[in-house]
Structures are given as C-alpha cells and as structure tokens.
Amino acid sequence: LLMILMTWLYISIGIASPQWMSVFAAVQAVVIALIVAAVHRIGKHALTNTKLFITALFSLAGCIAGIHFLILLPAAGLLYSLWNKGASALALTGACVFSVFILMHFSTDNFSENTSVPLLGFNGQAAVFISGLKAGLLTFGGAYTVIPFLQEDAVNNYGWMTQAQFLDGIALSGILPAPLIIFSTFVGYFGGGWTGAILMTVAIFLPSFLFTLIGHSALEKIIENKSLKDFLDGVTAAVIGLISFTAYGLFITTITGLQAIILFATALSLLYLIKSKYTVLLVIGGAAIAGLIINRIA
C-alpha cells in the first residue's frame, strides 16, 4: 500500500515537476551505488570457492556475448554441479562447447544492443503477471538479484518505462519500511496501471509463498540432495555474473557527469563506512537534498 501511494505521488506530482525530477536524477546515482554494493555483498556470500567465482565469470562472459539468461543459468548450474561432483572432464568438455557458443555470439555491438528474448504471445496484464512470476522464480541470493529480470522486461522487452524511471522505483522502495523487491509494484503500474501494480506484486511474491507453504518438505529434500544443491549454487553464481553485467550497463548510462560521479562515490563510501539499518535511507535522503540544492543553484 505504501508503494502504491509512492507510485501515485510519483505519477501525479513527480513527473510533472522539474524540481522533483532533479531530485530523482540525483537519487539515481545513489541507486547505482546501492546496486554495486549489493553485487559485492551478495557475491562475497555466494562465491565461496574458486569454482563458483569462475562460474560467475563464465556467466558474465555469456551476458557480454548476448546469450539469454534462460540459457546461461541452467548451463552454469549444470556445469558447476558436474565440476563439483568430480566429473571434471565432462564439465570441461561442456564448458568448452559452451565457450565456443559464447564466442560465436560475441560481437563488439552486443554489449550495447538489446539481446533479450521477449515473452512472445503475451501482452498487457498477462505480460505483467508473467514477468513478475518469472522474476519471483529466478531471484537467487536476495532482492537485488531481481533487478536484471525486471529491467529486461520493463525497459528492454516491453518498454513500459525508461531506465531512469526504473531506477526511480528502486529509490522509492529504498525509503520504505519494506523489502526492496516491493519496487516491483511500481514497475507493474507502468506495465498495466493499478491492476498491473497488483498483478505484479502478487506474481513476484507468489513463488516464495508457494515454496514455503506448500513445498516445504520438498525444499528440505532439495537441501539434503547434494547434486541439486550444487546445481542451485551454480545458478546463484551465474546470477551474480548477470547482475554484475546489469550493474555495469546501468552505471555507464547513468553516471555520466561530474555531479553523478561525486554522488555515486560519496554514497558508495557511506554504504561501506556506516554500518546501520538506516544507511540506505541516509544516502537516498542526502542525495534528494543534494538534488534540491543543485536545482536551486541551476
């Protein structure tokens, strides 16, 4: 409900106000800092050995080459599982084959081109719901890992919103007493109005609720099954590569001027120096104030 309220305020007041847009422009640099810090934090906990680190690099190379994540994630999980089980020869063969596949897709233009694969056959509210469901199913390692999946659909595939508006949604969720993933409600609104906001929210939380309430016993068995655990560890490592790629893409398109560089560097430093649950609120609020000052000076 708070995210819906913030979305309404953003749509009815924020977009029409140059002053508020300058605030959001400043906050966007801070959001990039939050994402970069999250990549480091999640990677530190997920990439617990050299094999997982190499798997993440493998995924990053695939992203740069323009290979869709629906191919990359299971491939990384399978190869890591084989490698960790001692089937090194088979894993190496698979890695070589996939590396050739990556090289075949690699070109100097792929890094900036949209290489995503739309959800063909879906549009309107159905596309919003499917997008949320996909993001909810593929969120490995924390709320920040949902960013590449939602960004691909909302900005690249369907064009529901601009990249700046996507970052604004993350900033708004950062100041609410709620999990960061609630910014999906904001994305859903841009995809399908108020109905889309509700559908996206339901869809993105649905997998975790179902897994917990219905699939608890099955999940316990998965945890005990080493092969499946290795596969999921490999997928998680691949997601780190994916979100690193997305973070870099957001960085080079957002941190483009001296003011943005200063805000980004300051926010990133504060995120590491101040260990408090209020740090995110502090850096976002500070950036908003800086945006107001910049607007007044300009």
Coordinates of all heavy atoms in Angstrom, one line a residue, residues 114-150:
N114 N 20.1 -4.6 -27.4 CA 19.2 -5.4 -26.6 C 19.1 -6.8 -27.1 O 18.7 -7.1 -28.2 CB 17.8 -4.7 -26.8 CG 16.7 -5.6 -26.2 OD1 16.9 -6.4 -25.3 ND2 15.5 -5.5 -26.7
T115 N 19.7 -7.7 -26.4 CA 19.7 -9.1 -26.8 C 18.8 -10.0 -26.0 O 18.9 -11.2 -26.0 CB 21.2 -9.7 -26.6 OG1 21.5 -9.5 -25.2 CG2 22.2 -8.9 -27.4
S116 N 17.8 -9.4 -25.4 CA 16.8 -10.2 -24.6 C 15.8 -10.8 -25.5 O 15.6 -10.4 -26.7 CB 16.2 -9.3 -23.6 OG 15.6 -8.2 -24.2
V117 N 15.1 -11.8 -25.0 CA 14.1 -12.5 -25.7 C 12.8 -12.2 -25.1 O 12.5 -12.6 -23.9 CB 14.4 -14.0 -25.7 CG1 13.3 -14.8 -26.4 CG2 15.7 -14.3 -26.3
P118 N 11.9 -11.5 -25.8 CA 10.6 -11.2 -25.2 C 9.7 -12.4 -24.9 O 9.9 -13.5 -25.5 CB 9.9 -10.3 -26.3 CG 11.0 -9.9 -27.2 CD 12.0 -11.0 -27.2
L119 N 8.7 -12.2 -24.1 CA 7.8 -13.3 -23.8 C 6.7 -13.3 -24.9 O 5.7 -12.6 -24.8 CB 7.1 -13.1 -22.4 CG 8.1 -13.3 -21.2 CD1 7.4 -12.8 -20.0 CD2 8.4 -14.7 -21.1
L120 N 7.0 -14.0 -26.0 CA 6.1 -13.9 -27.2 C 4.8 -14.5 -26.8 O 4.6 -15.4 -26.1 CB 6.8 -14.7 -28.3 CG 8.1 -14.2 -28.8 CD1 8.7 -15.1 -29.9 CD2 8.0 -12.8 -29.3
G121 N 3.7 -13.8 -27.4 CA 2.4 -14.3 -27.2 C 1.7 -13.7 -26.0 O 0.5 -13.9 -25.8
F122 N 2.4 -12.9 -25.2 CA 1.8 -12.2 -24.0 C 1.8 -10.7 -24.2 O 2.8 -10.2 -24.7 CB 2.5 -12.6 -22.7 CG 2.4 -14.1 -22.4 CD1 3.4 -14.9 -22.7 CD2 1.2 -14.5 -21.8 CE1 3.3 -16.3 -22.3 CE2 1.1 -15.8 -21.5 CZ 2.1 -16.7 -21.7
N123 N 0.8 -10.1 -23.8 CA 0.8 -8.6 -23.8 C -0.2 -8.1 -22.7 O -0.9 -8.9 -22.1 CB 0.3 -8.0 -25.2 CG -1.0 -8.7 -25.7 OD1 -1.9 -8.7 -24.9 ND2 -1.0 -9.1 -26.9
G124 N -0.1 -6.8 -22.4 CA -1.0 -6.3 -21.4 C -0.8 -6.9 -20.0 O 0.3 -7.1 -19.6
Q125 N -1.9 -7.1 -19.4 CA -1.9 -7.6 -18.0 C -1.2 -9.0 -17.9 O -0.5 -9.3 -16.9 CB -3.3 -7.7 -17.4 CG -4.1 -6.4 -17.6 CD -3.6 -5.2 -16.7 OE1 -2.5 -5.3 -16.2 NE2 -4.3 -4.1 -16.7
A126 N -1.4 -9.8 -18.9 CA -0.8 -11.1 -18.9 C 0.7 -11.0 -18.8 O 1.4 -11.8 -18.1 CB -1.3 -12.0 -20.1
A127 N 1.3 -10.1 -19.6 CA 2.7 -9.9 -19.7 C 3.2 -9.4 -18.3 O 4.3 -9.8 -17.9 CB 3.1 -8.9 -20.8
V128 N 2.5 -8.6 -17.7 CA 2.9 -8.1 -16.4 C 3.0 -9.2 -15.4 O 3.9 -9.3 -14.6 CB 1.9 -7.0 -15.9 CG1 2.2 -6.6 -14.4 CG2 2.0 -5.7 -16.7
F129 N 1.9 -10.0 -15.4 CA 1.9 -11.1 -14.4 C 3.0 -12.2 -14.7 O 3.7 -12.6 -13.7 CB 0.5 -11.8 -14.5 CG 0.3 -12.9 -13.4 CD1 0.0 -12.6 -12.2 CD2 0.6 -14.3 -13.8 CE1 -0.2 -13.6 -11.2 CE2 0.4 -15.2 -12.8 CZ 0.0 -14.9 -11.5
I130 N 3.2 -12.5 -15.9 CA 4.2 -13.5 -16.3 C 5.6 -12.9 -16.0 O 6.5 -13.6 -15.5 CB 4.2 -13.8 -17.8 CG1 2.8 -14.6 -18.1 CG2 5.3 -14.7 -18.2 CD1 2.7 -15.9 -17.4
S131 N 5.8 -11.6 -16.2 CA 7.1 -11.0 -15.9 C 7.4 -11.1 -14.4 O 8.5 -11.4 -14.0 CB 7.1 -9.6 -16.4 OG 8.3 -8.9 -16.1
G132 N 6.4 -10.8 -13.6 CA 6.6 -10.9 -12.1 C 6.8 -12.3 -11.7 O 7.6 -12.5 -10.8
L133 N 6.1 -13.2 -12.2 CA 6.2 -14.6 -11.9 C 7.6 -15.1 -12.2 O 8.3 -15.8 -11.4 CB 5.2 -15.5 -12.6 CG 5.0 -16.9 -12.1 CD1 4.5 -16.9 -10.6 CD2 4.0 -17.6 -13.0
K134 N 8.1 -14.8 -13.4 CA 9.5 -15.2 -13.8 C 10.5 -14.6 -12.9 O 11.4 -15.3 -12.4 CB 9.7 -14.7 -15.2 CG 11.1 -15.0 -15.8 CD 11.3 -14.4 -17.2 CE 11.3 -12.9 -17.2 NZ 11.5 -12.4 -18.6
A135 N 10.4 -13.3 -12.6 CA 11.3 -12.6 -11.7 C 11.3 -13.3 -10.3 O 12.4 -13.5 -9.7 CB 11.0 -11.1 -11.6
G136 N 10.1 -13.6 -9.8 CA 10.0 -14.2 -8.5 C 10.6 -15.6 -8.4 O 11.2 -16.0 -7.4
L137 N 10.5 -16.3 -9.5 CA 11.1 -17.7 -9.6 C 12.6 -17.7 -9.7 O 13.3 -18.6 -9.3 CB 10.5 -18.4 -10.8 CG 9.1 -19.0 -10.6 CD1 8.5 -19.4 -12.0 CD2 9.1 -20.2 -9.7
L138 N 13.2 -16.6 -10.3 CA 14.6 -16.6 -10.6 C 15.4 -15.7 -9.7 O 16.6 -15.5 -9.9 CB 14.8 -16.1 -12.0 CG 14.2 -17.0 -13.1 CD1 14.3 -16.3 -14.5 CD2 14.9 -18.3 -13.1
T139 N 14.8 -15.2 -8.6 CA 15.5 -14.4 -7.6 C 16.3 -15.3 -6.7 O 15.8 -15.8 -5.7 CB 14.5 -13.5 -6.8 OG1 13.7 -12.8 -7.7 CG2 15.3 -12.6 -5.9
F140 N 17.6 -15.4 -7.0 CA 18.6 -16.2 -6.2 C 19.5 -15.2 -5.5 O 20.2 -14.5 -6.1 CB 19.4 -17.1 -7.1 CG 18.6 -18.3 -7.6 CD1 17.8 -18.1 -8.7 CD2 18.7 -19.5 -7.0 CE1 17.1 -19.2 -9.3 CE2 17.9 -20.6 -7.5 CZ 17.1 -20.4 -8.7
G141 N 19.5 -15.3 -4.1 CA 20.5 -14.6 -3.4 C 20.1 -13.3 -2.8 O 20.9 -12.6 -2.1
G142 N 18.9 -12.8 -3.0 CA 18.5 -11.6 -2.4 C 17.7 -10.7 -3.3 O 17.6 -11.0 -4.5
A143 N 17.0 -9.7 -2.8 CA 16.1 -8.9 -3.6 C 16.8 -8.2 -4.7 O 16.2 -8.0 -5.8 CB 15.4 -7.8 -2.7
Y144 N 18.1 -7.8 -4.6 CA 18.8 -7.1 -5.6 C 18.9 -7.9 -6.9 O 19.1 -7.4 -8.0 CB 20.1 -6.6 -5.1 CG 20.1 -5.3 -4.3 CD1 20.0 -5.4 -3.0 CD2 20.1 -4.1 -5.0 CE1 19.9 -4.2 -2.2 CE2 20.0 -2.9 -4.2 CZ 19.9 -3.0 -2.8 OH 19.8 -1.8 -2.1
T145 N 18.9 -9.2 -6.7 CA 19.1 -10.1 -7.9 C 17.9 -10.1 -8.8 O 18.0 -10.7 -9.9 CB 19.5 -11.5 -7.5 OG1 18.4 -12.1 -6.7 CG2 20.7 -11.6 -6.7
V146 N 16.8 -9.5 -8.4 CA 15.6 -9.5 -9.2 C 15.7 -8.4 -10.3 O 15.0 -8.3 -11.3 CB 14.3 -9.2 -8.4 CG1 14.1 -7.8 -8.0 CG2 13.1 -9.7 -9.1
I147 N 16.7 -7.4 -10.0 CA 16.8 -6.2 -10.9 C 17.0 -6.6 -12.4 O 16.3 -6.0 -13.2 CB 17.9 -5.3 -10.4 CG1 17.4 -4.7 -9.1 CG2 18.3 -4.2 -11.4 CD1 18.5 -3.9 -8.3
P148 N 17.9 -7.5 -12.7 CA 18.1 -7.8 -14.1 C 16.9 -8.3 -14.8 O 16.6 -8.0 -16.0 CB 19.3 -8.8 -14.1 CG 19.9 -8.7 -12.8 CD 18.9 -8.3 -11.9
F149 N 16.1 -9.2 -14.1 CA 15.0 -9.8 -14.7 C 13.9 -8.8 -15.0 O 13.3 -8.8 -16.1 CB 14.5 -11.0 -13.9 CG 15.6 -11.9 -13.5 CD1 15.9 -12.1 -12.2 CD2 16.3 -12.6 -14.5 CE1 16.9 -13.0 -11.8 CE2 17.3 -13.5 -14.1 CZ 17.6 -13.7 -12.8
L150 N 13.6 -8.0 -14.0 CA 12.5 -7.0 -14.2 C 13.0 -5.9 -15.2 O 12.2 -5.4 -16.0 CB 12.2 -6.3 -12.9 CG 11.2 -7.1 -11.9 CD1 10.9 -6.3 -10.7 CD2 10.0 -7.5 -12.6

